Amino acid sequence: MRLIFDAHLDLGWCAASFNRDLTRSVAEIRAQEQGMTDEPARGKNTLTLPELKKAGVAVCLATLLVRAGPDQPKKTAYKRTDLDFSAQSIAYAQAHGQLAYYRLMEEQGHMRQIRTAGELRAFWKSYAAGESLPLGYILSMEGADPIVSPRQVDYWWNLGLRAVGPAHYGRGQYAYGTHVEGPLSPAGVELLREFQRVGMIVDVTHLCDTSFFQALDVFSGRILASHHNCRTLVPNDRQLSDEQIKLLIQRDAVIGVALDAWMLYPGWVRGQTSPSVLPLTSVADHIDHVCQIAGNTRHSAIGSDLDGGFGTEQCPRDLDTISDLQKLSNILSERGYSDADIDAIFHGNWLRFFGEALPK
């Protein structure tokens, strides 16, 4: 089994929003949710903390996920009562609730926060040596609305926040995200400058094209795409164009492949398209596309987003739990990837990136 560094898991939101005790097994959660109809993903979850250990996931980026954009009162297809709030003050409070969940998981011995490159190196060395350790996590934020103003960046940094995506779906306070189009707000430009000052990593995932290109112009610090697939393979504004991939490669970024089916299968319709049409080899297609553009395997990795508001109803057909990520090893090997290449994709590229980007 290869160890995995997964750059995108919405664990706090998944636990709080779906009322899931992630210390239990996948089977127990599925049994508990049988007959529930409030969400398509009920009874179809793909992960819990024990399953992450079984899957070989040693370290992840664990998110704080809340939205409070200026267009919040508008009814749109992506609005959710458990994600969208009417004021940044409420988003701030909701994000702290998710953070409190992570803190409790740490207290109970299920998770361990990683804040520095030194901590990451020591943790990974011990985990790889077989020491029994909890899930290591780097705190990230998907959509920056809980940061009430750019003046709050130091506060969040001191809490251990190390990577931030300025927007999620729709228009955020700082940038435009998926399914909309527009520039960074003046506060967004200021936010990125504050990020650069403290050393925060910027996650370009979900940024619309205009905000994406502007962010790269404004911000010269370290950037990543935690869970982002390829527009050439699946045309959609949620995906990265080849031009964007090339720019990220030039900035020595890493791009994590996501397993949400609508990002893997052209024309996927939520709630209608069957997972039976989608093999796990489609995930390898996106990994390979990034590698072919780069001419090497330095920039492709995993950012699964599994249980990020969906379950097996919206995953490749041959993935039942996150443990099935291990199947990618044979798929990539059959395509000519060496063991060293596969290790880089499974964990090495993120280890290198965060070893350089985190404070020492």
Side-chain angles (χ1 to χ4, degrees):
M1 181 175 69
R2 297 181 192 272
L3 292 182
I4 296 172
F5 189 134
D6 190 333
H8 191 81
L9 293 175
D10 297 312
L11 299 176
W13 178 72
C14 180
S17 176
F18 285 81
N19 192 24
R20 287 173 174 164
D21 180 358
L22 296 183
T23 66
R24 301 173 69 184
S25 70
V26 167
E28 287 175 311
I29 300 296
R30 289 180 179 178
Q32 180 185 28
E33 294 184 354
Q34 286 302 309
M36 297 177 68
T37 58
D38 61 314
E39 291 280 354
R42 286 299 185 189
K44 302 178 180 70
N45 60 304
T46 64
L47 63 84
T48 59
L49 292 168
E51 192 67 26
L52 287 168
K53 181 172 284 290
K54 178 182 174 183
V57 178
V59 177
C60 73
L61 264 64
T63 69
L64 305 174
L65 174 58
V66 192
R67 298 190 297 240
D71 300 329
Q72 192 277 336
K74 295 180 181 178
K75 291 184 178 180
T76 66
Y78 55 82
K79 294 296 182 186
R80 293 180 58 114
T81 57
D82 57 353
L83 267 181
D84 293 285
F85 298 92
S86 60
Q88 282 186 276
S89 57
I90 305 173
Y92 172 92
Q94 292 285 336
H96 278 77
Q98 295 175 21
L99 180 60
Y101 177 78
Y102 294 137
R103 294 290 190 251
L104 182 62
M105 291 299 98
E106 289 183 73
E107 182 181 324
Q108 294 180 346
H110 300 295
M111 298 178 70
R112 181 180 298 176
Q113 188 174 19
I114 295 169
R115 299 180 181 223
T116 69
E119 289 174 358
L120 177 61
R121 284 191 295 270
F123 181 90
W124 192 271
K125 181 179 180 181
S126 296
Y127 203 107
E131 185 175 337
S132 181
L133 293 173
L135 174 68
Y137 80 99
I138 298 168
L139 187 65
S140 69
M141 185 179 285
E142 187 172 23
D145 293 344
I147 303 174
V148 175
S149 80
R151 294 186 299 277
Q152 235 185 26
V153 167
D154 284 303
Y155 167 80
W156 285 100
W157 176 264
N158 291 333
L159 289 175
L161 185 66
R162 292 295 180 262
V164 179
H168 190 225
Y169 282 83
R171 179 187 175 199
Q173 295 290 339
Y174 300 107
Y176 284 75
T178 301
H179 294 336
V180 294
E181 188 60 50
L184 302 175
S185 67
V189 173
E190 184 181 353
L191 184 75
L192 292 184
R193 288 173 177 157
E194 287 298 295
F195 284 169
Q196 183 148 338
R197 178 181 63 82
V198 300
M200 192 78 75
I201 301 161
V202 168
D203 187 351
V204 301
T205 304
H206 282 292
L207 286 177
C208 75
D209 288 356
T210 300
S211 288
F212 173 97
F213 290 115
Q214 187 180 2
L216 264 60
D217 287 339
V218 169
F219 181 81
S220 60
R222 296 307 299 264
I223 56 175
L224 59 81
S226 63
H227 58 303
H228 231 148
N229 294 354
C230 305
R231 196 177 300 183
T232 294
L233 302 181
V234 180
N236 191 284
D237 72 332
R238 171 65 178 85
Q239 316 278 59
L240 291 167
S241 69
D242 286 357
E243 178 188 6
Q244 290 171 322
I245 293 170
K246 290 174 184 176
L247 287 172
L248 291 174
I249 290 168
Q250 289 172 14
R251 295 279 292 266
D252 204 21
V254 176
I255 301 165
V257 67
L259 275 83
D260 196 339
W262 78 279
M263 298 171 60
L264 296 166
Y265 187 83
W268 180 279
V269 179
R270 287 187 176 96
Q272 296 182 30
T273 308
S274 169
S276 64
V277 304
L278 180 63
L280 199 57
T281 54
S282 297
V283 179
D285 292 341
H286 288 264
I287 291 172
D288 187 63
H289 188 74
V290 172
C291 293
Q292 294 302 323
I293 290 175
N296 56 57
T297 57
R298 283 179 54 88
H299 304 280
S300 194
I302 294 171
S304 74
D305 199 19
L306 286 171
D307 271 9
F310 63 95
T312 55
E313 83 290 350
Q314 201 166 301
C315 284
R317 62 175 181 252
D318 36 357
L319 185 139
D320 181 55
T321 74
I322 195 167
S323 293
D324 289 318
L325 286 177
Q326 292 292 336
K327 295 177 181 178
L328 286 171
S329 182
N330 285 339
I331 293 170
L332 291 169
S333 179
E334 289 170 358
R335 297 189 181 196
Y337 284 78
S338 69
D339 281 344
D341 290 333
I342 299 169
D343 280 341
I345 292 164
F346 269 54
H347 58 258
N349 290 332
W350 285 133
L351 286 175
R352 183 193 71 251
F353 177 88
F354 284 102
E356 297 169 352
L358 289 175
K360 302 304 179 187

